[in-house]
Amino acid sequence: MQQVFWNLYARWYDKLSILEPYKDLQDRVMEALGNLHTNTSILDAASGTGSLFMRLVRTFPHADVVGIERSPAMMRQARRKLSRHRKKTGGGSRGKLIERDLNEPL
C-alpha cells in the first residue's frame, strides 16, 4: 500500500517542492553541509524525485553523491533529472541513484 502511495505522490512531488517548507528544508541541509572537502561522500536517503540530490550534485561536483529511493516512479524522475544534467553540462558523473527500500537490509 505504501508503494502505491509514493508512486502516486511522485506525480505531484516536484510541484509541491516549490512550497516554502520543502525549500526551507533543502536550504537547511545545504547550509549544514557548508564547504565540503574534495572526494567527500554524501548520502541522500529517500531521495524522492531527486530535487535535493540534484542540488547536491551541482553544488558539490567533486563529491560522490548517492541517492537512495524505494519508489520506482520517483526514481524514474530522479534518473531523468540526472540524465538531463549530464547531457546538458557534462557534469554529474559522480552522482549515483539506487532504487532500494531502506527498511530492508542493505
Side-chain angles (χ1 to χ4, degrees), residues 7-39:
N7 286 335
L8 290 172
Y9 188 48
R11 296 179 188 177
W12 305 105
Y13 192 85
D14 284 342
K15 290 171 183 63
L16 294 172
S17 68
I18 64 166
L19 298 174
E20 207 56 41
Y22 287 91
K23 290 178 6 184
D24 186 48
L25 177 62
Q26 283 193 17
D27 289 345
R28 285 187 290 159
V29 169
M30 297 303 290
E31 185 179 316
L33 290 173
N35 295 321
L36 297 176
H37 299 285
T38 304
N39 298 323

Side-chain angles (χ1 to χ4, degrees), residues 4 9-11 18 20 26 28 35-36 47 55 63-64 67 75 77 82 85 91 94-95 99-100 102:
V4 172
Y9 188 48
R11 296 179 188 177
I18 64 166
E20 207 56 41
Q26 283 193 17
R28 285 187 290 159
N35 295 321
L36 297 176
S47 297
R55 194 167 168 188
D64 292 317
M75 182 54 69
Q77 290 184 40
L82 181 57
H85 175 71
R94 296 182 70 171
E99 187 177 320
R100 182 104 189 193
L102 290 171

Side-chain angles (χ1 to χ4, degrees), residues 4 7-8 18-19 21 27 29 32 41 44 60-62 66-67 70 82 84 90-91 93 95 98-99 103:
V4 172
N7 286 335
L8 290 172
I18 64 166
L19 298 174
D27 289 345
V29 169
S41 295
D44 179 15
F60 305 108
H62 300 293
V66 177
R70 70 184 263 176
L82 181 57
R84 281 194 302 262
S93 63
I98 301 169
E99 187 177 320
N103 293 310

Side-chain angles (χ1 to χ4, degrees), residues 41-93:
S41 295
I42 304 169
L43 173 64
D44 179 15
S47 297
T49 60
S51 296
L52 177 60
F53 172 83
M54 288 308 305
R55 194 167 168 188
L56 293 165
V57 165
R58 286 190 291 270
T59 304
F60 305 108
H62 300 293
D64 292 317
V65 182
V66 177
I68 300 178
E69 173 57 48
R70 70 184 263 176
S71 164
M74 289 202 183
M75 182 54 69
R76 278 192 298 277
Q77 290 184 40
R79 286 185 174 134
R80 276 195 294 265
K81 289 176 185 177
L82 181 57
S83 177
R84 281 194 302 262
H85 175 71
R86 286 176 173 164
K87 288 177 184 171
K88 184 177 178 179
T89 68
S93 63

